[in-house]
Amino acid sequence: MAKGYLALVLHTHLPYVRHPEHEFFLEERWFYEALTESYIPLIHVFESLVNDGVNFRITMSLTPPLMSMLSDELLQERYSKHITKLIELSEKEIDRTKWEPHFHRLAHLYRDHFIRASQTFHDRYHRNLLSAFRRLQDLGVLEIITSGATHGYFPLLGVRREAVRAQVGAAVDLYTRLMGRPPLGFWLPECGYHPGDDRILDEFGLKYFFSDTHGIMYATTRPKYGVYAPVYCPSGVAAFGRDNETSKQVWSVHEGYPGDFDYREYYRDIGWDLDFDYMKPYIHPNGLRINTGLKYYRITEKTDNKQPYNPERASQKAAMHAGNFMFNREKQVEFLAKIFDRKPIIVSPYDTELFGHWWFEGPQFLNFLIRKIAYDQQTIKLITPSDYLKEYPVNQVTTPTASSWGYKGYHEVWLEGSNSWIYRHMHKAAERMTELASMFPDASGDLLRALKQAARELLLAQSSDWAFIIKTGTMVDYAVKRFKQHIHNFNGLYEDIKWNKINPAWVGELERKNNIFPDIDYKLFLPCKPAAHRQPAAFGT
Amino acid sequence: METIGLILLFSLVVLGSGLYLKLAKPRGQKTIATTRKDKPEFAAKFETAVEFFPDFQFPPEPIQEQVPELPWGYDDDTITVMAKDPEWIFAYWDISEEKRENLKNTYGDRWDSSVPVLRVYDVTQLDFFDNSNPLDFQDIIIDDRVGSCHVRVGIPDHTYFADLGRVLSDGTYIRVARSNLFCTPRNNLSDKVDPEWMLVSANERRLLAYMSRLKGVSSAELLNNQLH
């Protein structure tokens, strides 16, 4: 009998990047690389566990932009070419490295890896990997949850409450359409919570969300179990708090597992290392060098003289680290179980792309960890939040504090000198969308198309990724351009709709280009009740 | 003529391939550089340098579409405030030319010499507000032509709103626009406990001591300050 639970939560998100107007688009590769290195290897891990009859439960968010990209035909077509080209490159590499045994066997390893990914993508799931995730959910091993429609950062969108409501509503609609059932849980983008947002989640039938540690610890009433049990917000939606210790072991640059010297080095890619003419067909058509995914070295040490990667040694390390991670969770649960009058739950959320893309051995680590938990011990058991709530339906009621999992724990990452200029446009557009929805609550024909496209442009502008990229300083031009373009499109549509001069050809062009949420309900932006603040009665006079 | 042409063409091909074989670099051996210092992202600039590809010139990036410029503001005489963390807020405002002119005309010279301020009212726990009963208010001198500012208001877990205003030389305060309500987030453990939801105190101390030991990415420093 287990003494406590571990909830592994994989948050899976990429911004909506799809550029039909360009044959090759650098930022689309974020998606292709994540597919090859993270999503497909994780599907393989979960399937192997199912095939071996291992008992496990994992929570995974798939954000609406990612779900949309997974089921988009153009991106499927492009990924098909991408993976085929990678196989071609790895075959050339097998030939090139035939006198260098260390690299030669790695080239083989990559070829096998790519061929397997291609088979899974083409033959088994007919290019739509969303059906792989859906199948795993239907098999009862994954609990897939949704997130903000375009991963908008709620605490800063919330000045216009309708904007948050639409982010939740559009996400729940899309999930229900694609997954064949409504979602149970919600990943608040960046764990960004603002008191009262839970009411909107409740309105759309969501049962739980995740908060950062201090969001729960600094709740209005002191949480009895710390972050090791959920609390109910006043709306009745449960909030689960992140456990710091597990984050540190996996995330931390210095102390985390992924920095081990035996693991594969991310920063040594043949796209940068090899002869230009040889690499030319596999890098940017304009000659810009880029990562290919073929990397032959291990982290070694802080040195330029990197040693060749040894997959067997790395695999052993992943098994060791999985054992260590499990041992620490057992100790943690034993400690907590002694002082609690219920079984504790340890919630460990991670970005999915960490596993495989950054930490090449991450999927193996999960594979070892899940098997060890199933067979090597009795203290902990894997669980999803909804299962925990079934076992413990009675929980403390309190309101978490506004918080996020970003640097310093509040909103600064998305609201500072470099990116604060975006909000006046974002808020104004949301206000205008509400105005349009109120003006035309029963639109049809071209007016309906224009209203739906305006809603899409607004949602795309709200993505938290733009503010984040602008702050971090890499690919800034792209983020600025995307933000301005969507707001500009929105403003144009607003004027056209309001002054009855809709140009169906232009709407059509935008529909083809920014095609997320084909069935968007623009009425989600209709005015909604303000948050239940204690608002001074004569305020505003 | 045709034969001569063919012979010329053939000799060109021979000459050309000879030159190619002589000049082309051997390929496929020793292609992995072993002394790369920079991470790819940062190395991008250096890759174009002579060191690596003396013969190659990068074609320019594909022509980018024009990035549209957004309007400076929307002329709607509003101020919006958001809390950024427990102590800092961000305010932006948008005052139309018309409103500015009106105010100028009303107050004349006194307007030109007035001081633009952000007046932040603390209305925590208030049920009624009539402009005269805030818990506290503070004036923060700002530059109202800039359109936005980050300011420190100081107290976590309080409810505020703010006016964009001007203080005339005789002390008269003039409100230009009023913001939304906003709350600064809490940054400490609540004193409030729910009697139905308490651990025995020794166990609570053990739990908090355990959690304060954990250093996470963002929450830990906050917890550390509180739990000792």
Side-chain angles (χ1 to χ4, degrees), chain B residues 164-188:
Chain B
L164 182 69
R166 288 261 182 152
V167 178
L168 304 186
S169 51
D170 62 359
T172 315
Y173 171 72
I174 296 148
R175 186 214 300 176
V176 180
R178 173 158 290 181
S179 84
N180 52 306
L181 273 179
F182 58 94
C183 306
T184 48
R186 270 191 89 88
N187 66 350
N188 59 12

Side-chain angles (χ1 to χ4, degrees), chain A residues 205-259:
Chain A
L206 295 153
K207 303 294 176 214
Y208 66 86
F209 66 90
F210 300 94
S211 156
D212 201 7
T213 319
H214 58 291
I216 303 290
M217 293 310 292
Y218 301 161
T220 46
T221 318
R222 196 179 287 202
K224 174 179 179 183
Y225 301 109
V227 293
Y228 301 109
V231 296
Y232 282 132
C233 298
S235 59
V237 176
F240 287 80
R242 180 173 75 104
D243 170 51
N244 269 328
E245 186 177 340
T246 44
S247 293
K248 188 177 71 169
Q249 280 187 327
V250 178
W251 268 134
S252 167
V253 185
H254 305 295
E255 304 152 72
Y257 303 132

Side-chain angles (χ1 to χ4, degrees), chain A residues 8-11 246-247 250-251 325 348-352 355 405:
Chain A
L8 290 173
V9 183
L10 300 177
H11 170 51
T246 44
S247 293
V250 178
W251 268 134
F325 186 89
S348 308
Y350 303 104
D351 277 339
T352 305
F355 296 92
W405 77 349

Side-chain angles (χ1 to χ4, degrees), chain A residues 21-22 96 103 156 159 212-214 217-228 242-245 247-248 251 266-268 272-278 280 284-289 291 296-297 304-305 332 335-336 338-340 342 394-397 401-402 404-412 415-417 420-421 423-425 427-428 431-432 480-481 483-485 487-488 491 513 533-541, chain B residues 25 27-28 30-41 43-44 47 53 56 58-74 76 80-86 90 92-94 123 125-131 146-148 150 159 161 175 178-181 183 185-194 196-199 203-204 206-208 210-211 213-223 226-227:
Chain A
E21 72 277 21
H22 295 288
R96 183 187 69 82
F103 299 139
L156 299 177
V159 170
D212 201 7
T213 319
H214 58 291
M217 293 310 292
Y218 301 161
T220 46
T221 318
R222 196 179 287 202
K224 174 179 179 183
Y225 301 109
V227 293
Y228 301 109
R242 180 173 75 104
D243 170 51
N244 269 328
E245 186 177 340
S247 293
K248 188 177 71 169
W251 268 134
Y266 177 83
Y267 290 107
R268 283 294 297 272
W272 299 80
D273 279 349
L274 293 191
D275 182 72
F276 183 80
D277 288 328
Y278 175 76
K280 206 174 166 196
H284 196 299
N286 75 0
L288 204 66
R289 284 183 178 255
N291 284 343
Y296 292 150
Y297 293 93
D304 294 329
N305 191 16
Q332 202 174 1
F335 167 79
L336 294 167
K338 255 185 249 163
I339 56 176
F340 284 4
R342 64 151 79 185
V394 180
N395 291 291
Q396 183 179 353
V397 177
T401 190
S404 81
W405 77 349
Y407 177 64
K408 291 189 188 169
Y410 297 95
H411 316 316
E412 187 179 321
L415 181 63
E416 49 115 53
S420 52
W421 60 272
Y423 292 98
R424 73 169 68 239
H425 303 290
H427 294 156
K428 188 67 190 176
E431 180 195 325
R432 286 176 161 184
V480 169
K481 186 183 151 201
F483 177 78
K484 286 188 172 175
Q485 191 68 57
I487 291 287
H488 181 76
N491 285 343
K513 212 169 157 188
H533 269 310
R534 281 175 63 86
Q535 182 156 328
F539 168 76
T541 55
Chain B
K25 280 188 218 157
R27 196 187 275 185
K30 216 188 131 200
T31 34
I32 295 184
T34 47
T35 52
R36 290 175 38 82
K37 285 177 187 155
D38 310 287
K39 292 175 179 178
E41 281 89 334
E47 293 283 336
F53 330 106
F56 187 79
F58 277 25
E61 276 278 347
I63 297 161
Q64 299 287 317
E65 311 95 281
Q66 203 76 36
V67 181
E69 267 318 307
L70 298 181
W72 190 89
Y74 298 88
D76 52 4
T80 306
V81 186
M82 297 180 280
K84 178 159 86 168
D85 63 31
F90 171 72
Y92 71 84
W93 53 89
D94 190 357
V123 292
Q125 301 289 330
L126 281 192
D127 287 324
F128 180 82
F129 181 70
D130 62 2
N131 284 320
V146 179
S148 67
H150 296 262
T159 306
F161 63 85
R175 186 214 300 176
R178 173 158 290 181
S179 84
N180 52 306
L181 273 179
C183 306
R186 270 191 89 88
N187 66 350
N188 59 12
L189 277 179
S190 174
D191 294 334
K192 262 195 253 169
V193 285
D194 181 340
E196 306 256 319
W197 293 91
M198 289 171 72
L199 292 174
N203 282 349
E204 184 183 39
R206 288 171 71 193
L207 174 66
L208 294 182
Y210 174 77
M211 290 193 69
R213 197 163 58 71
L214 311 174
K215 286 189 182 159
V217 181
S218 65
S219 319
E221 46 192 283
L222 304 158
L223 282 170
Q226 289 305 316
L227 301 179

